Amino acid sequence: MGQKIHPNGFRLGVIRDWDAKWFASRRDYAKNLVADQKIRGFLRKQLANAAVSKIELVRAGENLNVTIHTGRPGIVIGKKGEDIERLRRQVLDMNNQVPVQIAVEEIRKPELDARLVAENVCQQPVSYTHLRAHETRHDLVCRLLLE
């Protein structure tokens, strides 16, 4: 039997890059890791309708740079940048007043991004509504794909 390898670990540094780029001492590592997970969860919840594919976090010194890759940058930015400024203030409060910069990158072809395609499939109504088991499977698959 062959050796099993995690697909993300196999591709890191070659095809795919890290989602978070920072270095911390032993005492700060856990705190930064938990803060990153909270920030990602908060942004995914706030931007549920914005077709967010990836959130990158870079901690350089005392600054936090957040890059949001999205298929709908207009929803993230809002009118005259009001929504992104509100998000920046909320992330600033979550991150103990560490200076935060948020950048938005548009995904030119969202139909080629696997996460956005999975979200689109999950948002489509189930065609076999008379089958309860099918609905349950559809919900389970969608929940697993989007975690």
Side-chain angles (χ1 to χ4, degrees):
M1 192 154 53
Q3 298 293 318
K4 307 300 185 269
I5 188 165
H6 196 278
N8 286 344
F10 184 65
R11 291 174 176 86
L12 269 177
V14 179
I15 297 172
R16 196 177 158 177
D17 206 4
W18 285 264
D19 289 335
K21 297 176 187 169
W22 48 267
F23 179 81
S25 64
R26 281 192 134 169
R27 64 186 172 103
D28 293 336
Y29 184 83
K31 181 183 70 162
N32 286 349
L33 187 62
V34 169
D36 283 2
Q37 291 300 318
K38 284 182 182 178
I39 290 169
R40 275 199 183 90
F42 170 76
L43 290 175
R44 287 221 185 269
K45 186 184 285 186
Q46 290 292 319
L47 303 172
N49 297 328
V52 174
S53 173
K54 183 167 62 168
I55 299 172
E56 291 180 350
L57 300 170
V58 178
R59 292 181 188 271
E62 288 296 318
N63 297 329
L64 174 65
N65 299 327
V66 180
T67 305
I68 301 171
H69 297 266
T70 179
R72 299 178 187 164
I75 294 174
V76 176
I77 297 170
K79 289 187 178 183
K80 298 181 182 177
E82 292 172 1
D83 290 346
I84 199 158
E85 185 59 32
R86 180 181 45 82
L87 279 176
R88 190 189 68 75
R89 284 193 305 270
Q90 290 173 335
V91 171
L92 183 71
D93 292 338
M94 288 176 62
N95 205 26
N96 298 328
Q97 301 301 320
V98 171
V100 176
Q101 292 180 344
I102 298 181
V104 178
E105 285 193 21
E106 180 183 10
I107 298 173
R108 298 276 182 210
K109 295 183 178 180
E111 63 272 5
L112 297 180
D113 190 281
R115 183 172 186 98
L116 298 182
V117 170
E119 285 180 1
N120 190 17
V121 167
C122 289
Q123 289 175 354
Q124 293 174 358
V126 179
S127 59
Y128 303 110
T129 56
H130 64 281
L131 298 174
R132 289 259 182 228
H134 186 276
E135 286 180 30
T136 306
R137 263 188 308 220
H138 182 266
D139 294 340
L140 177 66
V141 168
C142 287
R143 192 175 67 234
L144 290 174
L145 281 175
L146 299 178
E147 283 183 351

